[in-house]
Amino acid sequence: MNPPYFEFLNSVKLLCGELALERIAAELRHLGAQKPLLLSDAVLAKIGTLKQVSDAMEAEGCPAAHVFTDIPVDSSLAVVNAIAALYREHGCDSLVAVGGGSVIDTAKGVRLVLCQDSDDILAICGVENLPPGIRVPFLVVPTTAGTGSECTGVAVIRNDKSGVKMEILSPYVQPDVAVIDPRMTLGLPPKATASTGMDALCHALEAMTCLQANPLSTAYATAAIRLIAANIVTATKNGGNKEARFAMALGSTMAGIAFSNSMVGAVHAIGHALGGVCHVPHAVAMTVLLPHVMDYNLDRCKTDYAALLPLLVGEDQAAVTPAADRARAAVEAVRSLGKQLNDICGLPLSLHAAGVENKLDFDRVAEVAVNDGALIVNPRAATEDDVKEILNAAF
């Protein structure tokens, strides 16, 4: 059933395919920028991925005014504030973020601080209640096919004092431009390819089943699921396959557009809490939790899950599955996909395998999860006890 009213926003210009990197300088000039602050992490700097971007920018006449590569895997509010200060110190006029979700979300936080002429992101945090503020041109180059952060109006940043991963929602954190170039994910290791791909699948699946799903978000989500399901195994097995890499990158971007315009659900609510309390990497948490939350939601999502089956296993296999069994078959298809990836690269399929050693932490995880905004739109309400049951099943 379509909602009686909904809103949809995707203001990000997408540069997709081969030679997209070589368009960055031109796009910055179109945005009136000449002195970008280039943001990334130490790993991408070490393996040469960042250099591909900086070389392309310099060759086209727009070198970085300053480069910062100390963004950690689990970035924080303090890092955001420090980078904003560097931006001002070096007289920069734009942001270019090269990396996965942590780098891009950090850059989003920096942009928000700069746009609001602040020096502390915590002082301006809110839910879509800020004016546009000062214009800060912002371009992102995702290096994983998973987060979809290049097209979302949300940033997830850790509050070190509370240990909670905070969700910052604002249309003004969306980048102006996103560069979807398959060269950026060619060096991604198999396990990272698999986990980030499952993260993208989770985004799309929750986007089309949550209470705020709408026809446009569902269109993006279903297209994303079809691409991801068809290409994730190939991309994990053969990282040099540009066709599979490009398909995964597009699937991740479309999933990001989908959930940014509907929402996610319990997988993300519990996953955010696991990241904050138990330090489980986000994409791994999504992989582990997804089939268990689908089990939990099954009775409320039978029609949607049945519609998922052809996207996951193909039209022919779905057609020979009895109609009454298709919803359950979709859950098992997701579980089977995880097992294939585990066989290929050792992708963790349980919380214990993901490094969670003590079930006593589940009380705190459940407490944090039920206060996460993503749980509000999950198709089935969940109490702390429900969350603990899901965690125990996933252990």
Side-chain angles (χ1 to χ4, degrees), residues 250-283:
L250 291 175
S252 173
T253 296
M254 286 191 285
I257 294 169
F259 87 80
S260 188
N261 283 283
S262 54
M263 196 39 175
V264 278
V267 182
H268 277 76
I270 302 169
H272 293 155
L274 278 169
V277 176
C278 300
H279 309 294
V280 178
H282 177 77

PDB file of all heavy atoms in Angstrom, residues 250-283:
ATOM      1  N   LEU A 250      27.172   0.655  -8.020  1.00  0.00           N
ATOM      2  CA  LEU A 250      25.874   1.239  -8.359  1.00  0.00           C
ATOM      3  C   LEU A 250      24.787   0.730  -7.412  1.00  0.00           C
ATOM      4  O   LEU A 250      23.921   1.497  -6.980  1.00  0.00           O
ATOM      5  CB  LEU A 250      25.507   0.905  -9.803  1.00  0.00           C
ATOM      6  CG  LEU A 250      26.353   1.574 -10.891  1.00  0.00           C
ATOM      7  CD1 LEU A 250      25.960   1.046 -12.270  1.00  0.00           C
ATOM      8  CD2 LEU A 250      26.218   3.089 -10.842  1.00  0.00           C
ATOM      9  N   GLY A 251      24.839  -0.565  -7.082  1.00  0.00           N
ATOM     10  CA  GLY A 251      23.864  -1.112  -6.150  1.00  0.00           C
ATOM     11  C   GLY A 251      23.947  -0.448  -4.787  1.00  0.00           C
ATOM     12  O   GLY A 251      22.923  -0.123  -4.169  1.00  0.00           O
ATOM     13  N   SER A 252      25.165  -0.226  -4.317  1.00  0.00           N
ATOM     14  CA  SER A 252      25.356   0.437  -3.032  1.00  0.00           C
ATOM     15  C   SER A 252      24.808   1.854  -3.057  1.00  0.00           C
ATOM     16  O   SER A 252      24.142   2.298  -2.105  1.00  0.00           O
ATOM     17  CB  SER A 252      26.851   0.457  -2.693  1.00  0.00           C
ATOM     18  OG  SER A 252      27.101   1.233  -1.542  1.00  0.00           O
ATOM     19  N   THR A 253      25.075   2.588  -4.134  1.00  0.00           N
ATOM     20  CA  THR A 253      24.587   3.961  -4.249  1.00  0.00           C
ATOM     21  C   THR A 253      23.065   4.000  -4.276  1.00  0.00           C
ATOM     22  O   THR A 253      22.432   4.819  -3.588  1.00  0.00           O
ATOM     23  CB  THR A 253      25.161   4.621  -5.511  1.00  0.00           C
ATOM     24  OG1 THR A 253      26.585   4.710  -5.389  1.00  0.00           O
ATOM     25  CG2 THR A 253      24.592   6.020  -5.706  1.00  0.00           C
ATOM     26  N   MET A 254      22.451   3.109  -5.051  1.00  0.00           N
ATOM     27  CA  MET A 254      20.987   3.090  -5.118  1.00  0.00           C
ATOM     28  C   MET A 254      20.378   2.691  -3.775  1.00  0.00           C
ATOM     29  O   MET A 254      19.327   3.219  -3.376  1.00  0.00           O
ATOM     30  CB  MET A 254      20.525   2.161  -6.231  1.00  0.00           C
ATOM     31  CG  MET A 254      20.747   2.749  -7.611  1.00  0.00           C
ATOM     32  SD  MET A 254      19.926   1.825  -8.934  1.00  0.00           S
ATOM     33  CE  MET A 254      20.998   0.413  -9.036  1.00  0.00           C
ATOM     34  N   ALA A 255      21.024   1.766  -3.074  1.00  0.00           N
ATOM     35  CA  ALA A 255      20.538   1.402  -1.744  1.00  0.00           C
ATOM     36  C   ALA A 255      20.630   2.586  -0.797  1.00  0.00           C
ATOM     37  O   ALA A 255      19.739   2.803   0.040  1.00  0.00           O
ATOM     38  CB  ALA A 255      21.342   0.222  -1.200  1.00  0.00           C
ATOM     39  N   GLY A 256      21.705   3.378  -0.920  1.00  0.00           N
ATOM     40  CA  GLY A 256      21.845   4.574  -0.100  1.00  0.00           C
ATOM     41  C   GLY A 256      20.742   5.578  -0.373  1.00  0.00           C
ATOM     42  O   GLY A 256      20.168   6.174   0.551  1.00  0.00           O
ATOM     43  N   ILE A 257      20.442   5.795  -1.651  1.00  0.00           N
ATOM     44  CA  ILE A 257      19.348   6.709  -2.012  1.00  0.00           C
ATOM     45  C   ILE A 257      18.029   6.186  -1.431  1.00  0.00           C
ATOM     46  O   ILE A 257      17.211   6.957  -0.919  1.00  0.00           O
ATOM     47  CB  ILE A 257      19.253   6.848  -3.541  1.00  0.00           C
ATOM     48  CG1 ILE A 257      20.505   7.548  -4.089  1.00  0.00           C
ATOM     49  CG2 ILE A 257      17.999   7.625  -3.951  1.00  0.00           C
ATOM     50  CD1 ILE A 257      20.628   7.509  -5.597  1.00  0.00           C
ATOM     51  N   ALA A 258      17.833   4.869  -1.494  1.00  0.00           N
ATOM     52  CA  ALA A 258      16.591   4.276  -1.000  1.00  0.00           C
ATOM     53  C   ALA A 258      16.407   4.511   0.490  1.00  0.00           C
ATOM     54  O   ALA A 258      15.382   5.054   0.931  1.00  0.00           O
ATOM     55  CB  ALA A 258      16.571   2.777  -1.308  1.00  0.00           C
ATOM     56  N   PHE A 259      17.400   4.117   1.290  1.00  0.00           N
ATOM     57  CA  PHE A 259      17.172   4.212   2.742  1.00  0.00           C
ATOM     58  C   PHE A 259      17.247   5.638   3.238  1.00  0.00           C
ATOM     59  O   PHE A 259      16.668   5.974   4.282  1.00  0.00           O
ATOM     60  CB  PHE A 259      18.102   3.282   3.521  1.00  0.00           C
ATOM     61  CG  PHE A 259      19.462   3.810   3.882  1.00  0.00           C
ATOM     62  CD1 PHE A 259      19.638   4.655   4.968  1.00  0.00           C
ATOM     63  CD2 PHE A 259      20.591   3.434   3.160  1.00  0.00           C
ATOM     64  CE1 PHE A 259      20.898   5.118   5.327  1.00  0.00           C
ATOM     65  CE2 PHE A 259      21.849   3.882   3.516  1.00  0.00           C
ATOM     66  CZ  PHE A 259      22.008   4.741   4.596  1.00  0.00           C
ATOM     67  N   SER A 260      17.914   6.517   2.491  1.00  0.00           N
ATOM     68  CA  SER A 260      17.929   7.924   2.888  1.00  0.00           C
ATOM     69  C   SER A 260      16.555   8.558   2.716  1.00  0.00           C
ATOM     70  O   SER A 260      16.260   9.581   3.334  1.00  0.00           O
ATOM     71  CB  SER A 260      18.961   8.687   2.062  1.00  0.00           C
ATOM     72  OG  SER A 260      19.135  10.002   2.550  1.00  0.00           O
ATOM     73  N   ASN A 261      15.703   7.939   1.894  1.00  0.00           N
ATOM     74  CA  ASN A 261      14.370   8.470   1.640  1.00  0.00           C
ATOM     75  C   ASN A 261      13.253   7.635   2.240  1.00  0.00           C
ATOM     76  O   ASN A 261      12.075   7.912   2.008  1.00  0.00           O
ATOM     77  CB  ASN A 261      14.167   8.608   0.130  1.00  0.00           C
ATOM     78  CG  ASN A 261      14.887   9.815  -0.430  1.00  0.00           C
ATOM     79  OD1 ASN A 261      14.431  10.932  -0.290  1.00  0.00           O
ATOM     80  ND2 ASN A 261      16.043   9.594  -1.047  1.00  0.00           N
ATOM     81  N   SER A 262      13.606   6.598   2.969  1.00  0.00           N
ATOM     82  CA  SER A 262      12.599   5.866   3.739  1.00  0.00           C
ATOM     83  C   SER A 262      13.153   5.725   5.154  1.00  0.00           C
ATOM     84  O   SER A 262      12.865   6.520   6.026  1.00  0.00           O
ATOM     85  CB  SER A 262      12.265   4.522   3.102  1.00  0.00           C
ATOM     86  OG  SER A 262      13.425   3.740   2.891  1.00  0.00           O
ATOM     87  N   MET A 263      14.019   4.775   5.365  1.00  0.00           N
ATOM     88  CA  MET A 263      14.725   4.591   6.620  1.00  0.00           C
ATOM     89  C   MET A 263      15.241   3.162   6.604  1.00  0.00           C
ATOM     90  O   MET A 263      15.138   2.482   5.586  1.00  0.00           O
ATOM     91  CB  MET A 263      13.830   4.882   7.840  1.00  0.00           C
ATOM     92  CG  MET A 263      14.504   5.090   9.172  1.00  0.00           C
ATOM     93  SD  MET A 263      16.040   6.026   9.165  1.00  0.00           S
ATOM     94  CE  MET A 263      16.355   6.128  10.921  1.00  0.00           C
ATOM     95  N   VAL A 264      15.758   2.700   7.699  1.00  0.00           N
ATOM     96  CA  VAL A 264      16.217   1.320   7.793  1.00  0.00           C
ATOM     97  C   VAL A 264      15.349   0.576   8.814  1.00  0.00           C
ATOM     98  O   VAL A 264      14.144   0.568   8.679  1.00  0.00           O
ATOM     99  CB  VAL A 264      17.735   1.254   8.103  1.00  0.00           C
ATOM    100  CG1 VAL A 264      18.535   1.429   6.821  1.00  0.00           C
ATOM    101  CG2 VAL A 264      18.175   2.273   9.145  1.00  0.00           C
ATOM    102  N   GLY A 265      15.937  -0.044   9.835  1.00  0.00           N
ATOM    103  CA  GLY A 265      15.111  -0.781  10.777  1.00  0.00           C
ATOM    104  C   GLY A 265      15.927  -1.396  11.882  1.00  0.00           C
ATOM    105  O   GLY A 265      16.998  -0.878  12.258  1.00  0.00           O
ATOM    106  N   ALA A 266      15.478  -2.530  12.391  1.00  0.00           N
ATOM    107  CA  ALA A 266      16.071  -3.124  13.586  1.00  0.00           C
ATOM    108  C   ALA A 266      17.498  -3.593  13.364  1.00  0.00           C
ATOM    109  O   ALA A 266      18.303  -3.593  14.296  1.00  0.00           O
ATOM    110  CB  ALA A 266      15.215  -4.285  14.084  1.00  0.00           C
ATOM    111  N   VAL A 267      17.826  -4.040  12.142  1.00  0.00           N
ATOM    112  CA  VAL A 267      19.204  -4.483  11.894  1.00  0.00           C
ATOM    113  C   VAL A 267      20.162  -3.335  12.198  1.00  0.00           C
ATOM    114  O   VAL A 267      21.185  -3.508  12.873  1.00  0.00           O
ATOM    115  CB  VAL A 267      19.399  -4.959  10.441  1.00  0.00           C
ATOM    116  CG1 VAL A 267      20.830  -5.450  10.242  1.00  0.00           C
ATOM    117  CG2 VAL A 267      18.414  -6.057  10.085  1.00  0.00           C
ATOM    118  N   HIS A 268      19.816  -2.161  11.722  1.00  0.00           N
ATOM    119  CA  HIS A 268      20.690  -1.012  11.949  1.00  0.00           C
ATOM    120  C   HIS A 268      20.639  -0.519  13.393  1.00  0.00           C
ATOM    121  O   HIS A 268      21.660  -0.116  13.950  1.00  0.00           O
ATOM    122  CB  HIS A 268      20.345   0.111  10.978  1.00  0.00           C
ATOM    123  CG  HIS A 268      20.997  -0.061   9.641  1.00  0.00           C
ATOM    124  ND1 HIS A 268      20.538  -0.967   8.715  1.00  0.00           N
ATOM    125  CD2 HIS A 268      22.098   0.526   9.105  1.00  0.00           C
ATOM    126  CE1 HIS A 268      21.326  -0.926   7.656  1.00  0.00           C
ATOM    127  NE2 HIS A 268      22.282  -0.034   7.860  1.00  0.00           N
ATOM    128  N   ALA A 269      19.471  -0.528  13.987  1.00  0.00           N
ATOM    129  CA  ALA A 269      19.368  -0.090  15.379  1.00  0.00           C
ATOM    130  C   ALA A 269      20.254  -0.951  16.281  1.00  0.00           C
ATOM    131  O   ALA A 269      21.026  -0.445  17.106  1.00  0.00           O
ATOM    132  CB  ALA A 269      17.920  -0.150  15.847  1.00  0.00           C
ATOM    133  N   ILE A 270      20.161  -2.259  16.115  1.00  0.00           N
ATOM    134  CA  ILE A 270      20.964  -3.169  16.938  1.00  0.00           C
ATOM    135  C   ILE A 270      22.428  -3.101  16.520  1.00  0.00           C
ATOM    136  O   ILE A 270      23.337  -3.149  17.366  1.00  0.00           O
ATOM    137  CB  ILE A 270      20.427  -4.612  16.837  1.00  0.00           C
ATOM    138  CG1 ILE A 270      18.961  -4.677  17.282  1.00  0.00           C
ATOM    139  CG2 ILE A 270      21.265  -5.559  17.691  1.00  0.00           C
ATOM    140  CD1 ILE A 270      18.281  -6.005  16.975  1.00  0.00           C
ATOM    141  N   GLY A 271      22.680  -2.975  15.216  1.00  0.00           N
ATOM    142  CA  GLY A 271      24.050  -2.886  14.731  1.00  0.00           C
ATOM    143  C   GLY A 271      24.773  -1.656  15.228  1.00  0.00           C
ATOM    144  O   GLY A 271      25.955  -1.720  15.593  1.00  0.00           O
ATOM    145  N   HIS A 272      24.077  -0.512  15.251  1.00  0.00           N
ATOM    146  CA  HIS A 272      24.690   0.705  15.807  1.00  0.00           C
ATOM    147  C   HIS A 272      25.078   0.485  17.267  1.00  0.00           C
ATOM    148  O   HIS A 272      26.158   0.889  17.710  1.00  0.00           O
ATOM    149  CB  HIS A 272      23.714   1.881  15.719  1.00  0.00           C
ATOM    150  CG  HIS A 272      23.410   2.329  14.321  1.00  0.00           C
ATOM    151  ND1 HIS A 272      22.250   2.986  13.987  1.00  0.00           N
ATOM    152  CD2 HIS A 272      24.122   2.210  13.170  1.00  0.00           C
ATOM    153  CE1 HIS A 272      22.259   3.251  12.694  1.00  0.00           C
ATOM    154  NE2 HIS A 272      23.389   2.786  12.173  1.00  0.00           N
ATOM    155  N   ALA A 273      24.184  -0.153  18.021  1.00  0.00           N
ATOM    156  CA  ALA A 273      24.460  -0.403  19.434  1.00  0.00           C
ATOM    157  C   ALA A 273      25.624  -1.370  19.607  1.00  0.00           C
ATOM    158  O   ALA A 273      26.480  -1.191  20.479  1.00  0.00           O
ATOM    159  CB  ALA A 273      23.203  -0.952  20.117  1.00  0.00           C
ATOM    160  N   LEU A 274      25.688  -2.395  18.772  1.00  0.00           N
ATOM    161  CA  LEU A 274      26.810  -3.342  18.841  1.00  0.00           C
ATOM    162  C   LEU A 274      28.129  -2.644  18.535  1.00  0.00           C
ATOM    163  O   LEU A 274      29.163  -2.946  19.131  1.00  0.00           O
ATOM    164  CB  LEU A 274      26.600  -4.482  17.843  1.00  0.00           C
ATOM    165  CG  LEU A 274      25.698  -5.631  18.279  1.00  0.00           C
ATOM    166  CD1 LEU A 274      25.374  -6.523  17.095  1.00  0.00           C
ATOM    167  CD2 LEU A 274      26.349  -6.442  19.393  1.00  0.00           C
ATOM    168  N   GLY A 275      28.103  -1.711  17.593  1.00  0.00           N
ATOM    169  CA  GLY A 275      29.316  -0.967  17.277  1.00  0.00           C
ATOM    170  C   GLY A 275      29.778  -0.119  18.431  1.00  0.00           C
ATOM    171  O   GLY A 275      30.964  -0.076  18.768  1.00  0.00           O
ATOM    172  N   GLY A 276      28.826   0.568  19.072  1.00  0.00           N
ATOM    173  CA  GLY A 276      29.183   1.443  20.174  1.00  0.00           C
ATOM    174  C   GLY A 276      29.609   0.712  21.429  1.00  0.00           C
ATOM    175  O   GLY A 276      30.553   1.109  22.108  1.00  0.00           O
ATOM    176  N   VAL A 277      28.921  -0.392  21.749  1.00  0.00           N
ATOM    177  CA  VAL A 277      29.169  -1.101  23.003  1.00  0.00           C
ATOM    178  C   VAL A 277      30.248  -2.176  22.852  1.00  0.00           C
ATOM    179  O   VAL A 277      31.139  -2.310  23.700  1.00  0.00           O
ATOM    180  CB  VAL A 277      27.864  -1.745  23.532  1.00  0.00           C
ATOM    181  CG1 VAL A 277      28.134  -2.565  24.788  1.00  0.00           C
ATOM    182  CG2 VAL A 277      26.813  -0.672  23.812  1.00  0.00           C
ATOM    183  N   CYS A 278      30.179  -2.938  21.772  1.00  0.00           N
ATOM    184  CA  CYS A 278      31.071  -4.097  21.605  1.00  0.00           C
ATOM    185  C   CYS A 278      32.103  -3.906  20.496  1.00  0.00           C
ATOM    186  O   CYS A 278      32.904  -4.803  20.242  1.00  0.00           O
ATOM    187  CB  CYS A 278      30.252  -5.349  21.289  1.00  0.00           C
ATOM    188  SG  CYS A 278      29.062  -5.789  22.573  1.00  0.00           S
ATOM    189  N   HIS A 279      32.057  -2.756  19.824  1.00  0.00           N
ATOM    190  CA  HIS A 279      33.030  -2.416  18.774  1.00  0.00           C
ATOM    191  C   HIS A 279      33.017  -3.403  17.610  1.00  0.00           C
ATOM    192  O   HIS A 279      34.053  -3.663  16.995  1.00  0.00           O
ATOM    193  CB  HIS A 279      34.441  -2.292  19.363  1.00  0.00           C
ATOM    194  CG  HIS A 279      34.512  -1.394  20.560  1.00  0.00           C
ATOM    195  ND1 HIS A 279      34.281  -0.040  20.477  1.00  0.00           N
ATOM    196  CD2 HIS A 279      34.732  -1.667  21.874  1.00  0.00           C
ATOM    197  CE1 HIS A 279      34.378   0.505  21.682  1.00  0.00           C
ATOM    198  NE2 HIS A 279      34.637  -0.471  22.547  1.00  0.00           N
ATOM    199  N   VAL A 280      31.839  -3.944  17.309  1.00  0.00           N
ATOM    200  CA  VAL A 280      31.699  -4.793  16.126  1.00  0.00           C
ATOM    201  C   VAL A 280      31.651  -3.889  14.904  1.00  0.00           C
ATOM    202  O   VAL A 280      30.845  -2.959  14.854  1.00  0.00           O
ATOM    203  CB  VAL A 280      30.408  -5.643  16.195  1.00  0.00           C
ATOM    204  CG1 VAL A 280      30.252  -6.481  14.929  1.00  0.00           C
ATOM    205  CG2 VAL A 280      30.426  -6.525  17.428  1.00  0.00           C
ATOM    206  N   PRO A 281      32.490  -4.124  13.893  1.00  0.00           N
ATOM    207  CA  PRO A 281      32.445  -3.306  12.673  1.00  0.00           C
ATOM    208  C   PRO A 281      31.041  -3.301  12.075  1.00  0.00           C
ATOM    209  O   PRO A 281      30.367  -4.337  12.035  1.00  0.00           O
ATOM    210  CB  PRO A 281      33.446  -3.991  11.739  1.00  0.00           C
ATOM    211  CG  PRO A 281      34.399  -4.699  12.656  1.00  0.00           C
ATOM    212  CD  PRO A 281      33.557  -5.151  13.827  1.00  0.00           C
ATOM    213  N   HIS A 282      30.625  -2.144  11.596  1.00  0.00           N
ATOM    214  CA  HIS A 282      29.235  -1.978  11.160  1.00  0.00           C
ATOM    215  C   HIS A 282      28.815  -2.998  10.105  1.00  0.00           C
ATOM    216  O   HIS A 282      27.777  -3.660  10.239  1.00  0.00           O
ATOM    217  CB  HIS A 282      29.033  -0.562  10.613  1.00  0.00           C
ATOM    218  CG  HIS A 282      27.660  -0.326  10.072  1.00  0.00           C
ATOM    219  ND1 HIS A 282      26.564  -0.098  10.882  1.00  0.00           N
ATOM    220  CD2 HIS A 282      27.190  -0.313   8.791  1.00  0.00           C
ATOM    221  CE1 HIS A 282      25.484   0.052  10.133  1.00  0.00           C
ATOM    222  NE2 HIS A 282      25.839  -0.069   8.860  1.00  0.00           N
ATOM    223  N   ALA A 283      29.615  -3.145   9.050  1.00  0.00           N
ATOM    224  CA  ALA A 283      29.223  -4.044   7.962  1.00  0.00           C
ATOM    225  C   ALA A 283      29.143  -5.488   8.433  1.00  0.00           C
ATOM    226  O   ALA A 283      28.283  -6.258   7.977  1.00  0.00           O
ATOM    227  CB  ALA A 283      30.199  -3.920   6.793  1.00  0.00           C
TER     228      ALA A 283
END
